[in-house]
Structures are given as structure tokens and as C-alpha cells.
């Protein structure tokens, strides 16, 4: 079976559980994903299906992608992603993957792209303590010493320094599925998931 679906992070809210506790949830809208290309060991060397999702006007699809969709008889979509499966020959172009497949799933892994923070210092990027905050100190938010003297006369690889922060692929594992809304194609998972609002996420059965 296809154990994943791609959707859009709507945002966070809270719902009431059966034991009258408030549960913070992230709402993920996963419109039906359409199987586009089927990849098998004989043709491609591995087993996978290509899922298309996201609405897009036909005139905005470039010619190479339009030809790809026409080849398999699938209406053009905004995004294409692959999912590994055990036996890809069970599927054919046009099959749908919906949130109904997650009706009996208790835990999921959610993968997304984290929010971009731009250039960040070591205190924000890695949680360094920094120096004293008083006026007499001249060491506040700098990283401090990063290497040795004449031996080895270089900085070791992997030293944590200021730099670009965010925009990483992040996976949060074993999030509890709180609710499935098949009418509105919604998946409510307990806790936070990576990325900002309207970001693309992959929901995979844990």
C-alpha cells in the first residue's frame, strides 16, 4: 500500500479530547493525490509511484511537464513527489490516495521544510550562552575561541559558527493522529510540524 500522502500545512488550533483535555493540533489539508507515473524494478530499477497534487491552471504548466502528464493521461498538478512502495505494479495512473487511508492509523511521521531564519549567530543558531551582559564586559554574543595555536594551525571541521539557519528538511516522528476529516480532506495531528503556513508536508504512516 501507499503509506504516505502530501498536503499543505494550514496552521495550529486546539480540539477537545474525550477526557475533556485540550489537545494542541496542527491542521494538514491533504487533497487527493493522483498516481501519475508507476516505476517498477524492470523499468526503473526500483519500486515507487509518483504522486501529483495541488491545483494549477493548465496554461501555467510548461511544455515538458504537460507532456509528462499527457503521457500518463493525468490532469496536470502543481507538484510531483515519489513514494517508495513494495509492489508498484498494483497501481496504475489515475489512482487516488486520500486521507481515508489514514483512518485507522495511530501515529505518523511528518516531513517538511523548516522556516528560514537567514544569517544567525551562534546564540540563536546553537544556543551558546554568550558572555556577561554588563557594561564592563567586552564579550557578549561572539562565539569565542575556535582553535588551537601552532598545533594544528587550523580550525577543525564541524566547529559551530554563525551562518545560514533554517530551510532544512525536518522530520518529526510518531505524532499522534487526533482526527481525520474525509469531507474536507483534513488530518489533525497532535503537536507542531515543520515549516510555515501553506508549506508542503509529507505525512507518512509511522
Amino acid at each position: 500500500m501507499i503509506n504516505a500522502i502530501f498536503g499543505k500545512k494550514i496552521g495550529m488550533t486546539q480540539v477537545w479530547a474525550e477526557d475533556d483535555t485540550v489537545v494542541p493540533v496542527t491542521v494538514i489539508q491533504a487533497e487527493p493525490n493522483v498516481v501519475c507515473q508507476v516505476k517498477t524494478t524492470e523499468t526503473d530499477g526500483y519500486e515507487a509511484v509518483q504522486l501529483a497534487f495541488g491545483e494549477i491552471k493548465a496554461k501555467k504548466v510548461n511544455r515538458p511537464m504537460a507532456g509528462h502528464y499527457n503521457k500518463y493521461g493525468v490532469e496536470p498538478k502543481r507538484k510531483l513527489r515519489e513514494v517508495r512502495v513494495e509492489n508498484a505494479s498494483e497501481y496504475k495512473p489515475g489512482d487516488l490516495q486520500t486521507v481515508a487511508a489514514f483512518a485507522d492509523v495511530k501515529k505518523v511521521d511528518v516531513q517538511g521544510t523548516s522556516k528560514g531564519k537567514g544569517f544567525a549567530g551562534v546564540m540563536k543558531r546553537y544556543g551558546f550562552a554568550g558572555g556577561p551582559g554588563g557594561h564592563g564586559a567586552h564579550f557578549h554574543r561572539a562565539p569565542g575561541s575556535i582553535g588551537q595555536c601552532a598545533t594544528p594551525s587550523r580550525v577543525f571541521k564541524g566547529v559551530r559558527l554563525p551562518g545560514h539557519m533554517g530551510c532544512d528538511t525536518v522530520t518529526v516522528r510518531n505524532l499522534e493522529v487526533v482526527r481525520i476529516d474525509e469531507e474536507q480532506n483534513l488530518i489533525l495531528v497532535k503537536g507542531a510540524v515543520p515549516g510555515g503556513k501553506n508549506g508542503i508536508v509529507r505525512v507518512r504512516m509511522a
Side-chain angles (χ1 to χ4, degrees), residues 2 35-51 65 68 71-72 80-93:
I2 303 175
V35 175
C36 183
Q37 183 181 359
V38 176
K39 298 190 174 183
T40 61
T41 306
E42 293 75 19
T43 59
D44 300 275
Y46 62 100
E47 301 281 325
V49 293
Q50 205 175 59
L51 296 178
M65 290 308 301
H68 181 76
K71 178 179 178 181
Y72 299 102
L80 275 177
R81 295 290 188 273
E82 273 191 13
V83 175
R84 292 291 188 107
V85 293
E86 292 183 357
N87 189 4
S89 59
E90 297 178 357
Y91 309 97
K92 62 182 185 300

Side-chain angles (χ1 to χ4, degrees), residues 153-164:
S153 296
R154 64 184 177 90
V155 176
F156 288 119
K157 289 184 178 180
V159 174
R160 296 177 296 175
L161 292 171
H164 184 271

Side-chain angles (χ1 to χ4, degrees), residues 112-120 124-126 163-170:
T113 303
S114 62
K115 291 181 179 180
K117 308 290 186 181
F119 190 94
K124 180 173 181 177
R125 196 180 187 195
Y126 295 113
H164 184 271
M165 182 181 178
C167 292
D168 297 317
T169 299
V170 180

Side-chain angles (χ1 to χ4, degrees), residues 10-146:
I10 301 300
M12 292 196 71
T13 184
Q14 58 188 25
V15 296
W16 290 94
E18 295 180 357
D19 57 354
D20 284 343
T21 57
V22 175
V23 181
V25 296
T26 300
V27 182
I28 299 171
Q29 186 174 37
E31 300 287 344
N33 290 190
V34 184
V35 175
C36 183
Q37 183 181 359
V38 176
K39 298 190 174 183
T40 61
T41 306
E42 293 75 19
T43 59
D44 300 275
Y46 62 100
E47 301 281 325
V49 293
Q50 205 175 59
L51 296 178
F53 59 97
E55 297 299 324
I56 188 173
K57 293 181 179 179
K59 65 179 182 180
K60 292 187 176 182
V61 181
N62 60 31
R63 292 177 69 182
M65 290 308 301
H68 181 76
Y69 285 112
N70 289 335
K71 178 179 178 181
Y72 299 102
V74 175
E75 182 183 352
K77 298 289 185 180
R78 185 174 294 274
K79 299 286 185 179
L80 275 177
R81 295 290 188 273
E82 273 191 13
V83 175
R84 292 291 188 107
V85 293
E86 292 183 357
N87 189 4
S89 59
E90 297 178 357
Y91 309 97
K92 62 182 185 300
D95 289 349
L96 294 179
Q97 171 77 339
T98 66
V99 296
F102 291 79
D104 298 325
V105 177
K106 302 297 183 184
K107 298 288 184 75
V108 293
D109 301 335
V110 181
Q111 184 182 83
T113 303
S114 62
K115 291 181 179 180
K117 308 290 186 181
F119 190 94
V122 290
M123 290 180 68
K124 180 173 181 177
R125 196 180 187 195
Y126 295 113
F128 280 25
H135 291 265
H138 295 277
F139 177 75
H140 297 297
R141 300 183 66 88
S145 176
I146 61 171

